[in-house]
Structures are given as C-alpha cells and as structure tokens.
C-alpha cells in the first residue's frame, strides 16, 4: 500500500474540504479551505462510499441511491463486511502514513 497526503497544488495547505455531490454518480470535489482552489475530484464506484458512525438504515438509503444496489444480497452482512473492511483499511492507512511521514504529518 502506498500512501500520500493530499495537499493544495496552489498553496500546499492540507486544510481541505470534501464536498459530496450526488446525481447519476457520486462525486467528491476537494477544495482548499485556505485559498479556495479546486484540488481534486473523485468519482466513487457504486457501493464505494462508506461513512463511519452512520447506522444501518442510513447505509441502506445510500445503497438504494446507488446503481450497484443488489436486492438479492444479504444487506445486513454486507453492511457488517463494508463497515469492518473500511475500518481495517483506515487503520492500515494510518499505520502506513506514520511509517512514511513519522510524527511530522504534513
Ligand atoms: Zn490552497
């Protein structure tokens, strides 16, 4: 796993704002909070969004908005699977980030 802490190309700030936009697809626009510059855009794969701390009902609502929603699957176990995998991915990413940057995070 390679890790990279995103910075503004214009002013090098890491004070960034994620704006989630939903229409036919889910997109995340990243804006610098210090200079207002457009930093990046991510297009999420169907079912690719996970938001920590939200409940199962909220998970289901987002799934319904996704075209990747599949009614045949056991959504309760999918919820558990996605939730655990997202948390594990976050822990692993933090570990790699600490290895790369040490205690001096940009
Ligand atoms: Zn900036």
């Amino acid at each position: 796993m390679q890790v990279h802490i995103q910075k503004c190309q214009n002013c090098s700030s890491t004070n960034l704002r994620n704006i989630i936009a939903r229409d036919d697809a889910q997109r995340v626009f990243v804006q610098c909070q210090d200079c207002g510059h457009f930093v990046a855009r991510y297009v999420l794969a169907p079912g690719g969004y996970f938001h920590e701390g939200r409940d199962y009902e909220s998970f289901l609502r987002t799934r319904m908005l996704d075209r990747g929603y599949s009614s045949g699957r056991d959504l309760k176990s999918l919820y558990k699977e996605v939730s655990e995998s997202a948390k594990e991915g976050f822990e692993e990413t933090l570990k790699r980030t600490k290895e790369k940057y040490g205690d001096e995070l940009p």
Side-chain angles (χ1 to χ4, degrees):
M1 177 194 281
Q2 291 185 0
V3 294
H4 175 72
I5 293 180
Q6 191 156 45
K7 289 181 191 169
C8 173
Q9 306 88 308
N10 188 47
C11 75
S12 296
S13 173
T14 53
N15 184 17
L16 306 176
R17 170 188 289 125
N18 292 334
I19 305 169
I20 301 163
R22 292 189 174 117
D23 44 42
D24 56 321
Q26 291 193 68
R27 297 178 179 86
V28 179
F29 292 90
V30 183
Q31 181 190 28
C32 178
Q33 294 205 60
D34 287 335
C35 76
H37 203 263
F38 172 42
V39 176
R41 185 206 67 182
Y42 305 96
V43 180
L44 299 179
Y49 181 77
F50 175 77
H51 180 190
E52 168 61 2
R54 70 183 186 175
D55 61 13
Y56 179 61
E57 297 303 314
S58 163
F59 175 78
L60 275 187
R61 279 196 299 276
T62 310
R63 281 277 151 171
M64 305 288 258
L65 293 171
D66 271 348
R67 287 166 196 250
Y69 174 67
S70 152
S71 57
R73 286 199 66 176
D74 179 352
L75 285 168
K76 265 274 199 247
S77 43
L78 180 64
Y79 172 68
K80 198 165 177 277
E81 196 181 299
V82 169
S83 168
E84 282 168 6
S85 132
K87 284 173 200 168
E88 281 168 21
F90 181 62
E91 291 305 319
E92 179 65 14
T93 300
L94 284 186
K95 193 178 145 227
R96 299 287 175 170
T97 302
K98 189 157 188 175
E99 285 166 9
K100 179 174 177 181
Y101 296 98
D103 293 324
E104 301 289 316
L105 289 183

